[in-house]
Amino acid sequence: MGAQPENVIWEPSERWVRGTKGDVTVVDSRRPILVWEPGRPVPLYAFPEQDVRTDLLRKAARPPTGRHAGSTVFYDLEIDGEVTGNAAWSYPGDELAGYISFEWFGRDVLDHWYEEEAEIFVHPRDPHKRVDAIPSSRHVQVEINGTVVADTRAPVLLFETQLPTRYYIPREDIRFGLLTPTGLRTQCPYKGTATEYWSWAGPGDAAANVAWSYPDPLPAVREIKGLIAFYNEAVDIILDGERLERPVSPFSELFS
């Protein structure tokens, strides 16, 4: 592991990583590195220049400032006349000289990313992070505005490093008459695609999209398939008769 100026941390990865846009493979690397920038909770990939279609990159016409640990060299991506501004960048300093990283989280610069033959979403999976879905017999109740919307003794507890425990509840233990579907769809690199979300439909005001489900989760968390979880940050969880404090997490800003 090495250190860059401004506390950038990196380590090599042995995963085969590819990124594509349309029919074009822009990145194809068997020697990527994972980079952690200060203030970012998730890693990014960076790739040796030789593993990137640098012929598709141009010095950015309008490079941003103050992004990606002081990088001053940004690149636009041009494929078949279509230009994606500030799609990639290189880091300052000697240790990461010759590496290029691509925007990913929150921007669809490339259409698909793969580790080996598995497609990955949102951001690279952190090798120092665990996600464990464990069936339990604990008594879990969920209240919204003082009304019980879920009550189960057969939850699956999902433990994810640096995030609150999530309580996934069987559908038969949910009062769906108090919820309304919203059609929101999100992706997670560890759990897959959540294609079902619900908002509160009972008395009083409550935050939108407070509950979700993964109908077809990734194999590592198959125990949560079809179960319903609620944002602890926006509802009240009673665990074995004890009312839990609402946690503060990166998701809290969704409900502020």
Side-chain angles (χ1 to χ4, degrees), residues 52 68 96 115 142 184 189 192 227 229 237:
V52 175
H68 298 301
L96 296 185
E115 291 176 344
V142 179
L184 179 65
L227 305 185
I237 304 289

Side-chain angles (χ1 to χ4, degrees), residues 144 147-150 171-181 198-203 230:
I144 299 178
T147 299
V148 175
V149 66
R171 290 176 180 247
E172 59 266 26
D173 295 332
I174 304 286
R175 297 175 65 188
F176 279 102
L178 296 171
L179 300 173
T180 184
W198 293 267
S199 292
W200 175 242
F230 292 79

Side-chain angles (χ1 to χ4, degrees), residues 45-94:
Y45 272 124
F47 309 96
E49 291 179 354
Q50 300 93 321
D51 298 341
V52 175
R53 287 284 306 272
T54 54
D55 59 303
L56 302 175
L57 299 179
R58 312 282 185 267
K59 286 288 183 68
R62 297 180 178 83
T65 58
R67 285 168 57 184
H68 298 301
S71 177
T72 56
V73 182
F74 282 80
Y75 304 95
D76 296 339
L77 175 67
E78 183 174 354
I79 299 177
D80 296 331
E82 179 184 348
V83 178
T84 304
N86 299 310
W89 71 92
S90 57
Y91 289 100
D94 296 332

Side-chain angles (χ1 to χ4, degrees), residues 222-237:
R222 61 184 179 276
E223 290 87 355
I224 68 170
K225 179 181 177 68
L227 305 185
I228 314 296
F230 292 79
Y231 276 110
N232 317 37
E233 298 87 343
V235 305
D236 292 310
I237 304 289

Side-chain angles (χ1 to χ4, degrees):
M1 180 177 289
Q4 279 282 106
E6 300 192 41
N7 299 316
V8 171
I9 303 298
W10 65 271
E11 65 179 46
S13 171
E14 296 184 355
R15 300 185 185 195
W16 175 26
V17 179
R18 286 159 291 151
T20 64
K21 188 171 183 66
D23 296 329
V24 178
T25 298
V26 179
V27 176
D28 188 336
S29 182
R30 289 170 170 81
R31 47 183 181 165
I33 62 174
L34 285 163
V35 180
W36 287 263
E37 297 183 0
R40 290 182 66 111
V42 298
L44 298 163
Y45 272 124
F47 309 96
E49 291 179 354
Q50 300 93 321
D51 298 341
V52 175
R53 287 284 306 272
T54 54
D55 59 303
L56 302 175
L57 299 179
R58 312 282 185 267
K59 286 288 183 68
R62 297 180 178 83
T65 58
R67 285 168 57 184
H68 298 301
S71 177
T72 56
V73 182
F74 282 80
Y75 304 95
D76 296 339
L77 175 67
E78 183 174 354
I79 299 177
D80 296 331
E82 179 184 348
V83 178
T84 304
N86 299 310
W89 71 92
S90 57
Y91 289 100
D94 296 332
E95 291 188 11
L96 296 185
Y99 284 86
I100 293 176
S101 193
F102 284 79
E103 290 285 8
W104 196 339
F105 181 76
R107 285 192 66 194
D108 296 326
V109 167
L110 300 187
D111 297 331
H112 302 282
W113 285 97
Y114 301 90
E115 291 176 344
E116 304 300 332
E117 295 301 327
E119 187 171 7
I120 53 175
F121 312 97
V122 186
H123 61 78
R125 287 175 281 202
D126 190 329
H128 305 290
K129 185 171 187 175
R130 286 188 63 93
V131 180
D132 298 305
I134 303 176
S136 177
S137 60
R138 303 184 75 172
H139 186 197
V140 177
Q141 296 170 292
V142 179
E143 286 186 1
I144 299 178
N145 294 337
T147 299
V148 175
V149 66
D151 190 330
T152 188
R153 294 182 183 273
V156 171
L157 274 57
L158 189 131
F159 301 94
E160 186 169 353
T161 305
Q162 296 180 335
L163 286 178
T165 302
R166 301 301 187 192
Y167 303 91
Y168 281 80
I169 298 172
R171 290 176 180 247
E172 59 266 26
D173 295 332
I174 304 286
R175 297 175 65 188
F176 279 102
L178 296 171
L179 300 173
T180 184
T182 68
L184 179 65
R185 174 188 176 99
T186 63
Q187 292 181 310
C188 170
Y190 305 102
K191 297 184 286 294
T193 303
T195 57
E196 296 179 296
Y197 272 81
W198 293 267
S199 292
W200 175 242
D205 295 329
N209 297 305
V210 294
W212 70 91
S213 181
Y214 289 89
D216 188 22
L218 295 176
V221 292
R222 61 184 179 276
E223 290 87 355
I224 68 170
K225 179 181 177 68
L227 305 185
I228 314 296
F230 292 79
Y231 276 110
N232 317 37
E233 298 87 343
V235 305
D236 292 310
I237 304 289
I238 298 96
L239 179 64
D240 293 332
E242 179 182 354
R243 187 176 299 270
L244 304 182
E245 291 187 12
R246 293 189 183 183
V248 176
S249 81
F251 296 97
S252 297
E253 65 184 26
L254 297 175
F255 308 107
S256 58

